[in-house]
Amino acid sequence: MKYNIRGQHIQVTEALREYVEKKTSRLEKYFEAPETSETNVTLSVTKGYHAVEVSIPLTGAMLRAEVKSEDMYASIDAVVDKLERQIRKHKTKVNRKLRNESGLRTFFKDSGSAVRLLDEEEDFEVVRTKQFTFKPMDVEEAILQMNMVGHNFFVFANSDTKEVNVVYKRSDGKYGLIEQR
């Protein structure tokens, strides 16, 4: 893997760089072919919390995890564990789909293990469906509506673009907007 490691409000020392590379290289064992994409790692310190964000672009998927704790090394360990769980879950789903579609080559390496982890076989069941008419509104009104109903996202018809958009509340307390292409 290639690494792009950067720091926000923190100096990325050689020791931190080596630790990140050592820990994230553990993930390589899950891939059939060596990953050529660049692994993006952002280390940051905000209000005493050490955050690590890792994103690994794959063909047809994006692995991403973020962890905050009071210790940078603990955050690095936890984010790699989180990514490993995501990979195992995705691996099971992709390999099952490929086997069902005429036995194509697997994307992830088959470990041959008969052990089934509970989080790998998760069923995605829709338990509720809502239907509603979109009222055209601007982004600011959508944010106000979202805050009024107490949700962390809100789907609306953007009066400026005439498209369906989503506003959401970010973990830093600011807002984000998702638009169609």
Side-chain angles (χ1 to χ4, degrees):
M1 278 192 218
K2 298 176 193 164
Y3 297 95
N4 177 17
I5 303 170
R6 64 185 190 90
Q8 290 180 336
H9 311 293
I10 185 173
Q11 172 94 22
V12 179
T13 63
E14 193 57 37
L16 267 176
R17 181 177 303 281
E18 288 174 5
Y19 193 77
V20 166
E21 289 178 9
K22 175 184 166 198
K23 288 296 184 173
T24 54
S25 68
R26 259 179 31 189
L27 303 174
E28 290 180 20
K29 68 183 178 189
Y30 291 102
F31 301 104
E32 191 68 35
E35 271 309 304
T36 56
S37 60
E38 194 166 86
T39 300
N40 295 304
V41 180
T42 304
L43 310 173
S44 62
V45 178
T46 308
K47 295 181 183 177
Y49 284 99
H50 300 261
V52 178
E53 179 185 330
V54 179
S55 58
I56 306 171
L58 302 173
T59 307
M62 170 69 87
L63 295 174
R64 185 188 173 285
E66 181 177 2
V67 172
K68 294 177 185 175
S69 75
E70 294 179 2
D71 177 59
M72 184 60 75
Y73 291 95
S75 293
I76 294 168
D77 291 341
V79 82
V80 170
D81 291 342
K82 202 173 198 181
L83 284 167
E84 251 183 325
R85 286 191 303 273
Q86 282 182 23
I87 289 171
R88 286 194 307 262
K89 187 175 183 178
H90 189 69
K91 170 186 166 181
T92 301
K93 190 172 19 171
V94 168
N95 285 345
R96 184 182 317 126
K97 182 178 178 186
L98 290 175
R99 273 192 306 270
N100 292 341
E101 293 176 356
S102 75
L104 297 171
R105 183 178 85 79
T106 58
F107 182 72
F108 290 103
K109 193 185 296 181
D110 189 8
S111 63
S113 172
V115 176
R116 178 182 161 248
L117 297 173
L118 292 176
D119 65 342
E120 290 183 35
E121 295 291 331
E122 184 176 318
D123 290 328
F124 298 105
E125 179 185 356
V126 176
V127 295
R128 185 173 183 187
T129 301
K130 287 186 176 183
Q131 297 177 346
F132 58 96
T133 306
F134 291 116
K135 174 188 164 207
M137 60 182 73
D138 60 21
V139 175
E140 289 79 18
E141 186 179 351
I143 292 171
L144 290 172
Q145 290 291 325
M146 176 184 65
N147 289 334
M148 280 182 16
V149 294
H151 292 170
N152 55 3
F153 71 93
F154 188 79
V155 182
F156 69 102
N158 191 323
S159 59
D160 298 331
T161 64
K162 310 294 186 242
E163 300 285 338
V164 174
N165 291 171
V166 177
V167 291
Y168 62 95
K169 189 159 190 160
R170 296 167 35 102
S171 59
D172 62 5
K174 296 180 181 168
Y175 299 98
L177 174 68
I178 300 174
E179 299 178 310
Q180 289 179 221
R181 277 197 175 169

